[in-house]
């Protein structure tokens, strides 16, 4: 029962410079801050590719804000920055972004100093870091060699277009390393839900190579356990964006958790020519308790175009396309 706990220092940097590396070998960390009461979703995202130049990996960082609380989506990206192998996540500095991650994986600091966006917050883990490889269904080889997920509480500030917001809420973080083939899946659900009292849920349902696998955990009432079953019903709008979610989750402690999520802020992100990810910072209710969620669904762009009813096609790749190959 329960999850397999990771050892101390398990999330230090794994990917280093390799002149012969496959171009899809990379490592990334993302901190997802849902602020649906402000009509905002906020992403801090950083990465490093093994294949770089001059003996250094190629790193990048992005600060992203989306939703009705901002006039135009903020997407500030800095890429192709060389980083030495000696720099790890205890003090990671790339362009205008900086993060720290403690060896016990329970403390982080996040800073981003962009043109329109400044982020400065402290992140404290709510649950142990969950590693895919050591748990039920493992980690698919096209997704990563391994990845981890963890819910946290954040305090700090967000300054957007000159307006500063005090933050005292929740944010999820993920960390993956190894191969990333954006064309590997036909669909995924990547859902992260957090409420007062220490409840934290991560669920990832993957559809690929003719099968479906389920990964993740439920932490509530001070007990964390692996998800074994998830049924969901999703409402989509004319853009094929999810606006309401109802889910029933069963874990290996035999507990049933009821989740609903409703619209807050969303983003259609053409992260690759092979895959679009639809992001949503949502209001949630877990077993009757209010919270927040970062609810993501991924689809091939042709599938999105087929189901859209607003008359708008999928368009060409844009500045939002991080994987341009």
């Amino acid at each position: 029962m329960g999850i397999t706990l990771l050892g101390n220092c398990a999330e230090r940097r794994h990917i280093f410079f390799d002149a012969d590396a496959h171009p899809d070998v990379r490592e990334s960390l993302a901190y997802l801050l849902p602020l649906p009461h402000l009509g905002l979703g906020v992403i801090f995202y950083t990465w490093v590719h093994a294949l770089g130049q001059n003996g250094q990996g190629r790193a990048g960082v992005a600060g992203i804000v989306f939703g009705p609380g901002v006039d135009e989506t903020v997407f500030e990206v800095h890429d192709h920055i060389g980083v030495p192998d000696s720099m790890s996540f205890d003090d990671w500095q790339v362009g205008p972004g900086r993060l720290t991650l403690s060896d016990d994986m329970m403390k982080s600091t996040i800073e981003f100093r962009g043109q329109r966006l400044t982020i400065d917050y402290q992140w404290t883990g709510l649950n142990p870091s969950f590693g895919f490889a050591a748990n039920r269904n493992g980690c698919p080889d096209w997704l990563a060699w391994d990845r981890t997920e963890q819910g946290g509480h954040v305090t700090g500030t967000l300054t957007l277009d000159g307006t500063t917001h005090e933050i005292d809420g929740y944010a999820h973080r993920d960390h993956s390393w190894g191969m990333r083939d954006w064309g590997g899946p036909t669909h995924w659900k990547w859902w992260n839900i957090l409420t007062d009292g220490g409840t934290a849920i991560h669920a990832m349902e993957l559809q690929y190579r003719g099968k479906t696998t389920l990964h993740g955990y439920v932490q509530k009432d001070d007990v964390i356990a692996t998800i074994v079953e998830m049924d969901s019903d999703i409402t989509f709008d004319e853009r094929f964006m999810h606006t309401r979610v109802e889910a029933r989750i069963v874990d290996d402690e035999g507990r049933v958790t009821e989740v609903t999520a409703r619209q807050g802020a969303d983003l259609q992100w053409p992260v690759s020519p092979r895959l679009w990810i639809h992001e949503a910072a949502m209001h949630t209710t877990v077993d009757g308790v209010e919270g927040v969620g970062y609810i993501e669904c991924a689809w091939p762009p042709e599938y999105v175009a087929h189901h859209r009813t607003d008359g708008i096609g999928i368009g060409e790749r844009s500045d939002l396309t991080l994987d341009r190959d």
Side-chain angles (χ1 to χ4, degrees):
M1 293 288 189
I3 72 170
T4 302
L5 297 180
L6 302 180
N8 203 44
C9 309
E11 294 200 59
R12 288 182 175 174
R13 182 177 169 185
H14 298 81
I15 299 300
F16 302 97
F17 172 75
D18 181 353
D20 299 319
H22 189 283
D24 293 338
V25 172
R26 37 85 87 180
E27 186 161 12
S28 69
L29 296 97
Y31 288 73
L32 300 311
L33 175 62
L35 299 170
H37 65 291
L38 297 177
L40 298 174
V42 184
I43 304 171
F44 174 91
Y45 185 40
T46 186
W47 58 90
V48 59
H49 288 259
L51 186 61
Q53 294 181 336
N54 304 318
Q56 294 189 324
R58 175 177 68 82
V61 66
I64 304 168
V65 184
F66 59 87
V70 60
D71 290 339
E72 182 181 8
T73 298
V74 176
F75 198 83
E76 300 187 2
V77 180
H78 302 260
D79 202 356
H80 301 283
I81 299 170
V83 294
D85 284 354
S86 59
M87 188 167 71
S88 191
F89 303 128
D90 59 338
D91 191 4
W92 181 255
Q93 300 183 56
V94 176
R98 178 174 181 264
L99 77 82
T100 67
L101 176 60
S102 63
D103 282 347
D104 67 0
M105 300 162 285
M106 296 300 287
K107 296 285 186 182
S108 278
T109 61
I110 298 296
E111 298 176 12
F112 185 86
R113 311 246 181 262
Q115 294 183 342
R116 298 178 57 194
L117 172 65
T118 299
I119 302 171
D120 191 348
Y121 64 71
Q122 305 287 321
W123 181 97
T124 302
L126 291 177
N127 55 271
S129 186
F130 175 89
F132 274 32
N135 283 276
R136 183 175 177 265
N137 291 319
C139 188
D141 58 3
W142 56 266
L143 181 65
W145 297 336
D146 199 0
R147 64 183 290 119
T148 61
E149 310 281 355
Q150 192 174 19
H153 178 259
V154 296
T155 57
T157 58
L158 166 74
T159 302
L160 178 62
D161 293 329
T163 299
T164 297
H165 302 278
E166 297 292 330
I167 301 169
D168 186 353
Y170 298 102
H172 182 87
R173 75 170 186 90
D174 86 330
H175 178 193
S176 69
W177 55 94
M179 292 292 294
R180 169 59 60 85
D181 178 6
W182 293 107
T186 52
H187 169 61
W188 76 47
K189 300 177 182 73
W190 185 75
W191 294 356
N192 309 289
I193 300 138
L194 302 155
T195 74
D196 289 336
T199 296
I201 300 169
H202 166 73
M204 191 170 198
E205 181 187 83
L206 294 165
Q207 295 176 7
Y208 60 100
R209 299 175 186 166
K211 62 182 178 181
T212 299
T213 58
L214 182 61
H215 315 256
Y217 57 82
V218 174
Q219 173 169 289
K220 61 180 183 179
D221 301 326
D222 298 321
V223 175
I224 186 168
T226 302
I227 292 174
V228 296
E229 181 182 332
M230 182 173 75
D231 295 316
S232 61
D233 186 20
I234 305 175
T235 301
F236 298 95
D237 67 9
E238 68 281 358
R239 301 164 299 154
F240 202 57
M241 175 63 69
H242 45 282
T243 57
R244 182 173 176 84
V245 173
E246 299 180 8
R248 179 182 183 271
I249 297 171
V250 181
D251 61 46
D252 65 5
E253 289 286 335
R255 302 174 303 180
V256 176
T257 302
E258 301 284 347
V259 176
T260 62
R262 60 191 188 278
Q263 197 168 21
D266 58 56
L267 170 70
Q268 292 185 301
W269 188 354
V271 68
S272 162
R274 295 179 291 278
L275 196 74
W276 277 30
I277 52 178
H278 286 187
E279 315 282 283
M282 305 186 81
H283 304 275
T284 65
T285 304
V286 179
D287 295 336
V289 178
E290 295 297 308
V292 297
Y294 196 95
I295 309 296
E296 175 185 284
C297 292
W299 315 94
E302 296 82 4
Y303 194 80
V304 175
H306 179 76
H307 285 282
R308 289 182 74 148
T309 60
D310 57 3
I312 300 175
I314 61 174
E316 300 296 327
R317 66 187 185 184
S318 70
D319 290 340
L320 290 170
T321 309
L322 289 180
D323 175 4
R324 295 165 181 268
D325 297 330

